[in-house]
Amino acid sequence: MAARGSCPGCGSTALVEDAHYAQQQLVCAACGCVLAEGLLTTTYAEEEHLREVAYSQSTGQKEQLSRCLQRGIRRVQDLCKVLQLPMVFEETAVSYFQRALQHPSFHLVSLEKKELLGGCCIFVTCRQHNWPLTMGTICSLLYVKQELFASVYLSLQKELGLSVPALSLGDLVKTHLNSFRLFQHAANVPAPFVEDKEKMVARTMQIVELASETWLVTGRHPIPIVTAAAFLSWQSLQPAARLTCTFARFCKLAGVDLPPPAHLRLKELLEILLRMASQLAWLRVFNIDKKTVVKHIGDLLQHRIFLLKNAFCLGDEEEQCAMAPGEGSPGSPPAAGGAAQEEGRPSEGKRQHEGGPRPLLPPCLINPRKRLRTAAPSASDSAITGDEPISDSEIEQYLRDPEEIRAFRKAKAWL
Amino acid sequence: FKDDLSTSPQLFTPMSPYDVDLPIQSTEDVLFGSQFNQPKELPADFSSVDLSFLPDITQDSKEQNLSEAGHDMQKEFDGSISSRNEDSSIFMDESSLSYPDATRPSPEASGVCPPLTPMTPMTPVTPASESSGIVPQLQNIVSTVNLACKLDLKNIALHARNAEYNPKRFAAVIMRIREPRTTALIFSSGKMVCTGAKSEEQSRLAARKYARVVQKLGFPAKFLDFKIQNMVGSCDVRFPIRLEGLVLTHQQFSSYEPELFPGLIYRMVKPRIVLLIFVSGKVVLTGAKERSEIYEAFENIYPILKGFKKAS
């Protein structure tokens, strides 16, 4: 806007008010001479409207980065703020993102993938600092499918050569339980259902550790296990009031999703606990089943080392396992009769006597799914040299006759 | 040449390793003029002896490949019989036979009879724990070949019974044959990909059959540059594995994300093979161009996995 007065340098009357950074200046439009600096208006109200300019905006820093990169960085920063991550994480994630985008394999991917890339960088940063962030969380924040996230994540790991430590289950338990809404009295939560957070976290950790020792965790998605363990620990802390509550209802009250595999994990956990209970002297008199074992989880956890040793045969204690003689458990070193190994298939777990210790194995070995075994290459197969003569009749079986071709053509015309 | 001749005595049955009625043996005799010595001492319980194989070769490159036999890995024999009878069948190409050292060198043996060692090792020199006695079984071979002529895919799809062609979905004809049970992708440039074979020789035979089909359809198809691109093998170590422990100790090679995939992805550097290791003890090996790489990779990973056997 033009102001009054004339320029002392050139005498022109074209004076313009311009802002240099945060400062208002009166500048001559003809020669550029600065007439006055500082606020040219002294109204208090006008002073209030002035805003400070961020460093990144006033310097040329932003112009050096491409718009795509800028947008990506902003997205990464927004995500970090949503997840309430420390500042250090944000900087690390942004630097990973910049490195990744410069990489030829990521430079030209679709915009959707570039946004995913930002999420992957945050995920990697969290993992490297042992911050328990699951892929499910990131995927839901980015509204992407987990398969796409997985492929971008794996290629990011490979291209940048990042070493990502494994997810720590302990931290995951604490973080996941934080989202459970059972620790305070609320309108929809009946009084006996409210639980003390510390106690529940401690017991859930113990159950998850037990699951880890008994092969229920390896190779499986961690969240369903944590959810099932939380349910069991919650029930066991006040069994009288809570035994009637179903798993689904528990998750609804807690405000948490019930992942589909969680039911299976719950079943497996109960089976382990039942086996342990069978070894506890004062429980043998009771008829313990899936429902009643929950009441005794506290005792079972207290003596779990002893019970695990007795309830399951670990590795070299194959004699304790009630197996047919001559068959070793799959985990045992090769017995003297090597023929035993032929029978050492996982299915032998099924032939256990009731109550006898069963080998401590992952569930996939205890209950192997019947798989169609491909026929072993026969002797004739092994004699193939690759250079045999090929008979004409064999090839002709794959070619169509003329009338077949005509019929096919006609059929195609109809389609 | 100083190749060591040996063949798996377990070609057909584990208990009669010295079955001489093998058509291959006679060919070997003819080709190399060697005597097959029945070894004097042999362990009563004999495991699957396997050879590391070189890549499939054409007739011309036979000599070149045989000279590479020296690089092959050595296989150990342990005392326990493996139930993997199926693995013991060797798919020997008449023109390409590879002869690794069958014994952990008893140097006197190789010194005494230079061009050949006995068919089987004298005795298992090292105890059972050093070798796995398990042989990975090949499950899939992917190979490519150049038919060296432009092809009319619509024509092929019309005249061949076993072909499917959907240009909107994929720009190649998908053809299948029953024996060997394989699938081929045939492109209009004349290049072809053959998948599904269980051995290098089968893959080559299948590729030749596809080429013959294309020839019979009226195209001047040739058979150039046949190359095995990928080999996939699998086996079972028979004990459960603590994947969480393995990813901690071998972090630079392993990637274990239970949220994504139940197995651990182990990228071995030498040989350059990717292994998928599962909690049940099953191992899948892929990325090999030669059969020996699969065997070598498994022998490398087996002691590592055994270290996690008792860690429960």
Side-chain angles (χ1 to χ4, degrees), chain A residues 76-77 80-81 85-95 125:
Chain A
V76 169
Q77 289 170 336
C80 289
K81 289 197 178 65
L85 301 175
M87 200 53 200
V88 179
F89 288 29
E90 197 177 304
E91 288 154 13
T92 321
V94 168
S95 76
T125 313

Side-chain angles (χ1 to χ4, degrees), chain A residues 60-118:
Chain A
Q61 202 182 45
K62 227 174 51 157
E63 277 72 41
Q64 287 165 14
L65 307 171
S66 69
R67 228 183 328 180
C68 173
L69 189 55
Q70 282 173 33
R71 193 172 29 223
I73 291 178
R74 243 202 319 272
R75 191 87 174 94
V76 169
Q77 289 170 336
D78 290 342
L79 276 172
C80 289
K81 289 197 178 65
V82 166
L83 291 166
Q84 296 179 336
L85 301 175
M87 200 53 200
V88 179
F89 288 29
E90 197 177 304
E91 288 154 13
T92 321
V94 168
S95 76
Y96 279 148
F97 184 68
Q98 280 182 295
R99 263 175 67 194
L101 266 194
Q102 278 158 14
H103 212 276
S105 50
F106 291 118
H107 202 52
L108 300 168
V109 297
S110 63
L111 284 178
E112 185 192 5
K113 272 202 176 156
K114 281 189 174 140
E115 184 166 309
L116 251 186
L117 198 56

Side-chain angles (χ1 to χ4, degrees), chain A residues 127 218-219 330 386 394 398, chain B residues 178 208-209 238 244 256-257:
Chain A
R127 280 284 210 92
T218 311
E394 188 187 347
Y398 294 119
Chain B
R178 281 183 278 273
R208 283 175 56 223
K209 290 191 181 175
R238 312 297 196 84
E244 313 93 343
Y256 169 55
E257 299 289 336

Side-chain angles (χ1 to χ4, degrees), chain A residues 70-342:
Chain A
Q70 282 173 33
R71 193 172 29 223
I73 291 178
R74 243 202 319 272
R75 191 87 174 94
V76 169
Q77 289 170 336
D78 290 342
L79 276 172
C80 289
K81 289 197 178 65
V82 166
L83 291 166
Q84 296 179 336
L85 301 175
M87 200 53 200
V88 179
F89 288 29
E90 197 177 304
E91 288 154 13
T92 321
V94 168
S95 76
Y96 279 148
F97 184 68
Q98 280 182 295
R99 263 175 67 194
L101 266 194
Q102 278 158 14
H103 212 276
S105 50
F106 291 118
H107 202 52
L108 300 168
V109 297
S110 63
L111 284 178
E112 185 192 5
K113 272 202 176 156
K114 281 189 174 140
E115 184 166 309
L116 251 186
L117 198 56
C120 285
C121 295
I122 298 175
F123 180 71
V124 167
T125 313
C126 287
R127 280 284 210 92
Q128 286 180 336
H129 292 264
N130 275 324
W131 189 277
L133 182 69
T134 59
M135 287 193 196
T137 314
I138 290 272
C139 287
S140 60
L141 279 176
L142 293 173
Y143 302 107
V144 290
K145 284 216 180 110
Q146 209 179 10
E147 294 87 45
L148 196 55
F149 183 86
S151 64
V152 176
Y153 169 68
L154 289 174
S155 47
L156 175 74
Q157 211 185 358
K158 203 165 79 137
E159 299 295 340
L160 291 189
L162 303 167
S163 78
V164 183
L167 190 63
S168 107
L169 266 184
D171 295 332
L172 183 64
V173 167
K174 288 197 207 103
T175 314
H176 194 58
L177 286 183
N178 276 343
S179 58
F180 279 51
R181 290 205 291 269
L182 285 171
F183 308 121
Q184 277 124 28
H185 292 269
N188 61 334
V189 178
F193 283 13
V194 179
E195 186 52 68
D196 171 46
K197 188 162 169 195
E198 298 305 321
K199 278 202 272 178
M200 190 152 148
V201 169
R203 187 160 277 198
T204 310
M205 286 275 261
Q206 285 184 321
I207 297 185
V208 170
E209 273 165 22
L210 176 69
S212 171
E213 278 166 35
T214 52
W215 293 103
L216 296 184
V217 169
T218 311
R220 271 99 170 265
H221 201 294
I223 292 288
I225 299 166
V226 174
T227 314
F231 176 59
L232 278 180
S233 76
W234 174 81
Q235 269 194 330
S236 68
L237 285 169
Q238 261 189 57
R242 298 173 183 169
L243 261 182
T244 49
C245 179
T246 62
F247 198 1
R249 188 166 168 233
F250 166 76
C251 289
K252 222 163 76 135
L253 287 173
V256 167
D257 285 333
L258 176 56
H263 281 291
L264 291 166
R265 302 295 159 262
L266 186 63
K267 221 167 65 157
E268 288 166 357
L269 271 172
L270 284 170
E271 198 232 298
I272 299 276
L273 289 167
L274 274 171
R275 280 208 171 261
M276 285 167 67
S278 68
Q279 298 296 317
L280 208 48
W282 62 86
L283 288 184
R284 285 213 191 108
V285 291
F286 299 115
N287 199 0
I288 305 278
D289 70 0
K290 279 206 298 232
K291 289 280 178 187
T292 46
V293 74
V294 176
K295 293 189 244 179
H296 306 284
I297 284 184
D299 291 334
L300 294 175
L301 288 175
Q302 206 180 351
H303 304 282
R304 65 178 180 276
I305 300 172
F306 167 76
L307 293 173
L308 277 180
K309 229 188 330 187
N310 283 9
F312 304 100
C313 52
L314 310 157
D316 40 6
E317 296 153 18
E318 68 229 52
E319 313 83 58
Q320 292 180 18
C321 298
M323 306 243 191
E327 295 176 3
S329 67
S332 65
Q341 294 294 46
E342 304 210 12

Side-chain angles (χ1 to χ4, degrees), chain B residues 142-164:
Chain B
V142 177
S143 56
T144 54
V145 72
N146 186 4
L147 302 176
C149 68
K150 292 277 173 272
L151 302 173
D152 180 353
L153 297 184
K154 265 207 163 66
N155 195 318
I156 294 178
L158 180 61
H159 286 92
R161 286 194 183 130
N162 53 343
E164 61 182 83

Side-chain angles (χ1 to χ4, degrees), chain B residues 52-56 65 68 71-73 98 138 141 200 228-232 271-273 287-297:
Chain B
S52 50
F53 280 81
L54 283 180
D56 179 68
N65 266 41
E68 291 170 34
H71 306 321
D72 290 335
M73 52 155 233
S98 62
L138 288 183
I141 313 272
E200 303 91 318
I228 305 271
Q229 299 290 354
N230 186 27
M231 300 172 75
V232 181
R272 243 195 75 176
I273 301 281
K289 291 265 194 296
E290 306 175 13
R291 192 187 277 242
S292 58
E293 290 176 4
I294 297 224
Y295 297 149
E296 189 185 339

